[in-house]
Every structure is written in C-alpha cells, then in structure tokens.
Amino acid sequence: MTLRPHTLFLPQASLTPPSPKPSKTPSNSFTPTLNSPIYPSLSLHHHHPTDSGILFREKLIYLETHLNVNPQKALHLNPDFRSCPLSSVKSVEHCLSSMGIELSAMGRILDMHPQLLTVDPHCHLYPVFDFLLHDAHIPFHDIRKSIIRCPRLLVCDVSNQLRPALEFLTHQLGFKGVTCQTTVLLVSSVRGTLSPKIEYLQSLGLSHAEVANMVIRSPALLTLSIPNNFMPKVEYLVQEMKKDVKELKRFPQYFSFSLEGKIKPRHRLLAEHGFSLPLRDMLRVSDGEFNAMLIEMRLDCRGF
C-alpha cells in the first residue's frame, strides 16, 4: 500500500478566482481557472519532494503501518535503513511477494531480520530462491513454507552456508534431498553445528551408518543441543533406565521428548511397579493411553 500524499482542501471561497483587474493587454487574454497552470498549488502536497525529513517520516510510517515492522528496532539493527529510499524497501517487498509470501508473514520476517530492508533483491534474495528451487529442488509452492518456517534462510550466503550444508546432508549423511520441513537444517554450520552432533552420537558407540540412518529418520536431531539435550538424556537412559544406547537406533525420536515432562515421569511410574518398556512404547502414546496401558499391565500381573 503506497501512502497517498495529503491534498490541501481550501475553503470554497478561496477557490473562486480573483476578479481580473483592468488590463491594458489585448482582449484575447483569458480568465484563469482551477485547471490552469497558474494554479498548480491548488493540488498541493504537504512537502516538497526534496524534503528529506518528511520523506524519512513517510518511510517510517510505511514501515510501521503497512509492513507492521518496528521502526525503532529496524533503525537500531540496520542503520543503513536511515538513508535508503522507500523505493528500496518496496523492491524487497515486491521480491518476497513474488514468491508467495503474504504481507502478514512478510512483516514478521522483516521485523525479525531488518537487515533485509536495505538489501538488493537481485544480489541477496533471488539467489537464495534460485538455490532453493534448483539446487535443493524445493517446489515453488513450498518456497513460502520454507521461508516462513526458517526466515534465516534469507540472510544466509548461498556459497558459504546453504550449499555446503546441503552437500553435507546429501553426500555425508545420505539425505535424498530436503523438504520445506527440513530446509531449516541448511542454516546450520557444517563445522560448528552439524559435524559435532554426528561425532557425539558416534562417540556413544554407534557407527556412522547407524547415526546417518537415525538423523534421516528424525532430522530434528540435528537441531538439538548437545549439552542441553543429548547429554542429559543419554545419561538418564544409561544410568537411570539401565538401557543400552543401541536402543536409540530403533527410536531416535527419544531425544525430541521432554526429559522432565515426559521421560522421567513415565519411567518412574513404570519402575514403581517393576515394569519396563521399549522407548517407543513408553513415549509415543498419549498420557491417557499410557495410563490405560499401565493399568492393564498391573491387572495382568495380578492374574485378572
């Protein structure tokens, strides 16, 4: 939506042209009208196009009311926004819109990454879309989903980040490709994030092939923290549940469940009654189903 300049409405009386004074000019002179060049100011804008202060304010208003982006945050995180023309912001908007991203989602993306407000779409945005379409083979109708799920894709360099991550997933781990649900993995550093997680899982005694199969079945593993997720859950699995880490091969989704909210409470309920279940059976059912299963196990033990 383009802000329309305010039109200056003059009182009715002021719209009446002044009575012409007697003139010595020939009688073919004309009486000026509202449409005459003599009155260009009757459709005035409040500001001259070169008034930088007013243009800056117009840009802030556009950002806040049209895109729903916090102007103060944008200026703080992207000082270049102060000097860029409004047309630059609109070119970014047009680019994102051309990929099916609606205005509400666009506002969230630009508010999260205000550095995008001043980029050249042809140098920074279209190369990302081209990569997703032709290298990652994401269907056009899923590009929007990929970006909304992971806006950070738009601020990643194709050559230094996105392509190396894709090659690691496909060549090293055996992914057949990525989808709009797994493109989030492309923003992870191979050296700093992806490789260390593979190496940690292998350090548990699992082979590279076994770990690769685990992350293909459960790609979310590559988004989890080693110290905050992997390590405490492995420790509980081995020390408290007395299970072999090999069981993780059969149920890698174990790491996606809350340790305090689900794993510990369910294990303790089973342990209190002397029961043990495979990880899959213990965790994948709802609370109601788990409680019903526990009651049935207790009744079976009593011979009912």
Side-chain angles (χ1 to χ4, degrees), residues 20-70:
K21 295 182 180 180
S23 173
K24 296 180 182 181
T25 57
S27 58
N28 63 353
S29 63
F30 67 97
T31 301
T33 65
L34 293 178
N35 295 323
S36 303
I38 246 176
Y39 286 95
S41 61
L42 289 181
S43 293
L44 292 176
H45 298 306
H46 278 311
H47 60 82
H48 191 275
T50 60
D51 189 333
S52 59
I54 299 297
L55 291 177
F56 179 67
R57 176 173 173 78
E58 180 182 352
K59 186 169 59 176
L60 294 182
I61 292 174
Y62 187 87
L63 200 66
E64 185 170 24
T65 61
H66 178 66
L67 295 175
N68 198 28
V69 174
N70 185 332

Side-chain angles (χ1 to χ4, degrees), residues 216-271:
I216 290 174
R217 291 174 55 199
S218 185
L221 289 178
L222 295 175
T223 67
L224 303 176
S225 164
I226 294 176
N228 297 327
N229 189 300
F230 286 172
M231 294 179 70
K233 289 178 181 176
V234 168
E235 181 181 354
Y236 190 80
L237 178 79
V238 174
Q239 296 185 6
E240 300 296 328
M241 300 175 70
K242 309 301 181 185
K243 290 183 177 291
D244 193 313
V245 293
K246 297 292 184 181
E247 193 165 346
L248 295 173
K249 295 188 301 180
R250 295 186 289 273
F251 192 64
Q253 296 86 351
Y254 167 77
F255 290 107
S256 65
F257 291 94
S258 167
L259 181 60
E260 299 297 331
K262 181 161 290 189
I263 297 173
K264 285 184 178 181
R266 291 195 176 183
H267 168 253
R268 287 168 180 168
L269 280 173
L270 290 170

